């Protein structure tokens, strides 16, 4: 590996991995040994090593979700040693490195657990409930036609910054996974406050929050008890302030929107 | 009117009811604590009995009492609905879960703490409220029902003192999370004020819990 540290000692680890055939079967924890893991590997590369071992032995590899492997797509939903994305704060699983573990460690690896996120197979979960919440209102409608001039709509710098902060949510679902209530409030609040802050979002402001919250409840996510596990485990640091904004947006929309139903 | 019932049966709507009733119950605790401080007056309970006679007969207080019943009723009802819904939302739990590394214990155990408070409340209401309102208490020298003597003798029983003090610890923890949480639920989170809300909530919880716990301890050890 280029730039690798020659002094880094390889590790041997015991993995306790959740194996589940499909949506309808019961899963269970299965123990595996992995050998000669470099501390410079990412957690997912370590799982790749495990899967190559399994393939060589003719066993079925462990299914897990991943895509970008650079912390931006939000796919790598692993619950590691009792924490969403593992022990390190502010990182996704793909950005977690094996140097955070030591030789001889036992590592428990589970999928996100939420009724709204059914397990597809092993560690892979179906997070399409998030997509349906976004479809319910997490967008702005834009007219087609001529391209508008850049900076035609002025946005004050501090508002733009706050909206951008909320927009950094990668939809990974760690907030749901870490929450005792499997609540999706942090995810929903990030999108609602991002768009409520910006002039482009003002048009659909009331229907957006009403529809997104209705969809969130319909998907079977829990309510928020203001525990704070979500923000503590969020890889991009979405703050609880957004949930307060969501509650305000929801209340004022309910009190003033023209929607009587 | 369906938009109103929809609002208050949504997850956020139910939490709004929890927070408003919770803060209302906090205001009740303040009144209840200040009134009960008269137990410490060394007059054989006369002042306390005058106060409890007033509380039991004044028509305004008797009306507000029904608001209090509703406040408790809604708070407890919503707590059951929400706690059940939240349990279902999690589904199968984790084999290994280290939630203690990302959040305080009391915030994850509001249902347990509330249940302890509820059990305490039932015993408390039966022993003091029910007997004062519907039972036969002997009159004191001013011909007021002598609730003071009932309090004093109750708090000479060890199991009673333990129940009371334990319930106050539970109440304290319930409030440490509940007070600040209620403001967050109502959307009142702001970098200028939230630190003050957190501080006041903490001080409030400790004062209220210590204040109520001091009464059984005072009677058990010093009377
Ligand atoms: C004097 C008594 C009580 C006071 C002052 C009180 C106060 C509060 C406050 C301020 C909250 C925060 C609301 C929020 O998060 O927005 C709360 C939450 C809660 N209370 Fe109470 N409470 C009391 C009694 C009870 C009882 C008897 C129960 C249950 C049997 C209960 C169950 C709960 C639960 C489960 C929550 C958390 C709800 C959630 O966030 O999901 N409480 N309480
Ligand atoms: S709020 Fe944070 S934890 Fe939740 S989905 Fe977005 S990035 Fe992931
Ligand atoms: S694989 Fe894309 S964020 Fe981890």
């Amino acid at each position: 590996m280029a730039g690798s540290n020659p002094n880094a000692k390889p590790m041997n680890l015991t993995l306790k991995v959740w194996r589940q055939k499909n949506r309808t079967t019961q899963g269970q924890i299965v123990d595996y040994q992995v050998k000669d893991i470099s501390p410079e590997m990412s957690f997912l590369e370590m799982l790749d090593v495990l899967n190559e071992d399994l393939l060589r032995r003719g066993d079925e590899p462990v299914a897990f979700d991943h895509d970008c492997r650079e912390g931006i797509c939000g796919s790598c939903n692993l619950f590691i040693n009792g924490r969403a994305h593992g022990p390190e704060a502010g990182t996704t699983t793909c950005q977690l490195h094996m140097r955070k573990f030591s030789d001889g460690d036992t590592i428990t690896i589970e999928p996100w657990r939420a009724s709204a996120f059914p397990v597809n197979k092993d560690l892979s979960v179906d997070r399409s409930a998030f997509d349906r919440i976004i479809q319910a209102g997490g967008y702005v409608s834009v007219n087609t036609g001529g391209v508008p001039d850049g900076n035609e709509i002025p946005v004050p710098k501090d508002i733009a910054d706050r909206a951008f902060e909320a927009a950094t949510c990668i939809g990974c679902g760690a907030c749901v996974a870490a929450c005792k209530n499997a609540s999706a409030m942090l995810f929903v609040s990030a999108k609602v406050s991002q768009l409520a802050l910006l002039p482009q979002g003002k048009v659909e402001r009331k229907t957006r929050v009403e529809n997104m919250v209705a969809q969130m409840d319909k998907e079977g996510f829990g309510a928020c008890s203001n525990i704070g596990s979500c923000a503590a485990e969020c890889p991009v640091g979405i703050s609880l302030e957004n949930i307060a904004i969501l509650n305000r947006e929801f209340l004022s929309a309910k009190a003033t929107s023209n929607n009587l139903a | 009117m369906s938009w109103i019932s929809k609002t208050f049966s949504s997850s956020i709507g139910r939490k709004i009811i929890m927070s408003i009733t919770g803060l209302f119950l906090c205001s009740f605790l303040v009144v209840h604590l200040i009134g009960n401080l008269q137990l410490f007056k060394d007059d054989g309970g006369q002042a306390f009995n005058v106060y409890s006679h007033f509380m039991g007969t004044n028509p305004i207080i008797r009306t507000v009492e029904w608001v209090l019943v509703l406040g408790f009723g809604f708070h407890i009802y919503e707590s059951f609905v929400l706690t059940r819904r939240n349990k279902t939302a999690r589904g199968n739990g984790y084999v290994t879960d280290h939630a203690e590394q990302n959040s305080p214990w009391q915030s994850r155990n509001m249902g347990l703490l509330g249940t302890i408070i509820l059990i305490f409340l039932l015993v408390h209401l039966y022993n003091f409220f029910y007997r004062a309102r519907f039972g036969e208490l002997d009159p004191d020298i001013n011909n007021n029902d002598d609730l003071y003597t009932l309090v004093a003798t109750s708090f000479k029983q060890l199991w009673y003192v333990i129940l009371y003090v334990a319930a106050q610890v539970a109440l304290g923890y319930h409030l440490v999370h509940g007070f600040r949480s209620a403001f967050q639920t109502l959307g009142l989170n702001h970098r200028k004020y939230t630190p003050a809300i957190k501080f006041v909530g903490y001080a409030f919880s400790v004062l209220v819990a210590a204040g109520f716990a001091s009464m059984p301890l005072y009677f058990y050890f010093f009377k």
Side-chain angles (χ1 to χ4, degrees):
Chain A
M1 214 183 292
S4 69
N5 175 359
N7 299 323
K9 283 213 182 71
M11 310 184 266
N12 296 335
L13 303 162
T14 304
L15 305 180
K16 291 181 165 299
V17 183
W18 185 261
R19 303 297 315 253
Q20 179 172 335
K21 256 202 167 55
N22 54 41
R23 280 194 186 204
T24 48
T25 48
Q26 285 283 322
Q28 67 187 63
I29 291 280
V30 178
D31 289 10
Y32 298 102
Q33 308 292 329
V34 282
K35 293 199 167 34
D36 294 332
I37 299 298
S38 154
E40 305 194 332
M41 283 181 180
S42 78
F43 200 86
L44 299 185
E45 286 170 323
M46 184 276 293
L47 286 180
D48 293 336
V49 171
L50 168 69
N51 276 346
E52 276 166 28
D53 277 359
L54 289 174
L55 280 169
R56 258 195 299 276
R57 284 192 266 144
D59 288 341
E60 176 129 10
V62 177
F64 62 93
D65 296 320
H66 60 103
D67 187 15
C68 70
R69 297 205 176 197
E70 55 184 14
I72 54 173
C73 76
S75 304
C76 48
N77 35 231
L78 299 184
F79 206 77
I80 301 161
N81 280 348
R83 301 279 301 276
H85 295 140
E88 197 180 359
T91 40
T92 52
T93 306
C94 57
Q95 298 294 291
L96 173 67
H97 287 81
M98 295 313 293
R99 55 177 168 267
K100 292 282 157 190
F101 299 88
S102 328
D103 187 34
D105 276 2
T106 299
I107 307 174
T108 309
I109 312 169
E110 300 175 70
W112 285 175
R113 304 258 183 216
S115 303
F117 287 164
V119 174
N120 287 326
K121 183 177 164 65
D122 299 337
L123 302 170
S124 165
V125 298
D126 176 357
R127 287 182 297 123
S128 59
F130 268 11
D131 301 340
R132 290 187 291 275
I133 294 176
I134 294 295
Q135 280 160 13
Y139 52 78
V140 291
S141 301
V142 185
N143 290 330
T144 54
V147 180
D149 289 342
N151 295 328
E152 190 186 12
I153 307 169
V155 181
K157 170 90 166 74
D158 66 317
I159 299 286
D161 286 349
R162 284 172 61 198
F164 183 79
E165 254 172 55
T168 55
C169 167
I170 55 175
C172 63
C175 42
V176 174
C179 175
K180 172 176 170 281
N181 306 338
S183 171
M185 291 274 281
L186 194 67
F187 166 75
V188 175
S189 74
K191 193 51 68 191
V192 165
S193 50
Q194 177 209 334
L195 298 179
L197 282 163
L198 295 174
Q200 292 88 339
K202 296 275 194 287
V203 184
E204 288 142 327
R205 185 169 179 177
K206 292 176 189 173
T207 47
R208 169 179 310 114
V209 65
E210 289 187 321
N211 293 344
M212 287 182 77
V213 170
Q215 190 65 33
M216 167 182 96
D217 286 349
K218 199 169 135 200
E219 296 289 347
F221 292 104
C224 176
S225 295
N226 303 321
I227 293 171
S229 309
C230 52
E233 300 289 14
C234 174
V236 299
I238 302 293
S239 81
L240 291 180
E241 198 182 341
N242 291 293
I243 296 185
I245 295 175
L246 169 64
N247 291 357
R248 292 205 290 274
E249 288 290 318
F250 178 79
L251 259 189
S252 65
K254 284 293 181 189
T256 63
S257 80
N258 289 324
N259 177 16
L260 289 174
Chain B
M1 297 294 273
S2 78
W3 68 272
I4 294 183
S5 62
K6 266 209 187 135
T7 302
F8 291 107
S9 60
S10 68
S11 53
I12 299 180
R14 288 190 189 281
K15 275 304 306 260
I16 304 253
I17 295 175
M18 282 303 293
S19 63
I20 291 173
T21 54
L23 288 178
F24 168 68
L25 293 178
C26 288
S27 74
F28 152 74
L29 291 178
V30 173
V31 177
H32 195 41
L33 180 65
I34 292 176
N36 286 4
L37 287 179
Q38 296 178 82
L39 284 170
F40 292 119
K41 210 168 169 191
D42 225 356
D43 63 350
Q46 287 183 51
F48 180 74
N49 287 341
V50 168
Y51 162 72
S52 54
H53 177 76
F54 168 79
M55 295 304 272
T57 50
N58 182 286
I60 298 175
I61 303 288
R62 294 294 294 270
T63 315
V64 176
E65 205 170 84
W66 281 105
V67 183
L68 182 62
V69 171
L70 284 180
F72 266 110
F74 274 104
H75 191 79
I76 294 169
Y77 171 73
E78 294 296 353
S79 85
F80 276 94
V81 175
L82 282 169
T83 306
R84 273 195 52 189
R85 176 197 192 127
N86 293 342
K87 277 219 152 69
T88 318
R90 161 60 74 229
N92 299 326
Y94 292 102
V95 176
T96 308
D97 190 352
H98 285 298
E100 79 284 354
Q101 293 173 2
N102 62 34
S103 55
W105 180 86
Q106 65 274 14
S107 69
R108 285 176 275 118
N109 289 282
M110 291 295 276
L112 171 70
L113 293 167
T115 308
I116 297 173
I117 299 170
L118 181 60
I119 293 168
F120 160 80
L121 196 63
L122 295 175
V123 176
H124 177 63
L125 283 178
Y126 172 73
N127 192 48
F128 292 141
F129 177 81
Y130 178 80
R131 288 214 249 165
R133 185 66 57 80
F134 305 108
E136 288 292 315
L137 293 179
D138 292 333
D140 70 359
I141 47 172
N142 301 324
N143 220 15
N144 287 319
D145 282 355
D146 194 1
L147 185 60
Y148 178 85
T149 302
L150 177 62
V151 172
T153 48
S154 300
F155 289 159
K156 276 292 171 198
Q157 293 162 266
L158 182 61
W159 75 271
Y160 224 81
V161 175
I162 293 174
L163 173 72
Y164 266 66
V165 173
Q168 297 321 307
V169 174
L171 178 66
Y173 274 104
H174 197 76
L175 293 177
V176 164
H177 179 66
F179 192 92
R180 64 162 75 169
S181 173
F183 287 89
Q184 166 80 3
T185 301
L186 292 171
L188 302 171
N189 179 328
H190 194 282
R191 56 197 72 184
K192 277 187 183 159
Y193 314 111
T194 299
I197 292 172
K198 287 185 177 171
F199 176 77
V200 171
Y202 196 76
F204 177 82
S205 316
V206 174
L207 281 178
V208 166
F212 280 118
S214 69
M215 291 163 195
L217 292 171
Y218 169 73
F219 280 95
Y220 190 76
F221 288 109
F222 301 110
K223 272 278 156 178

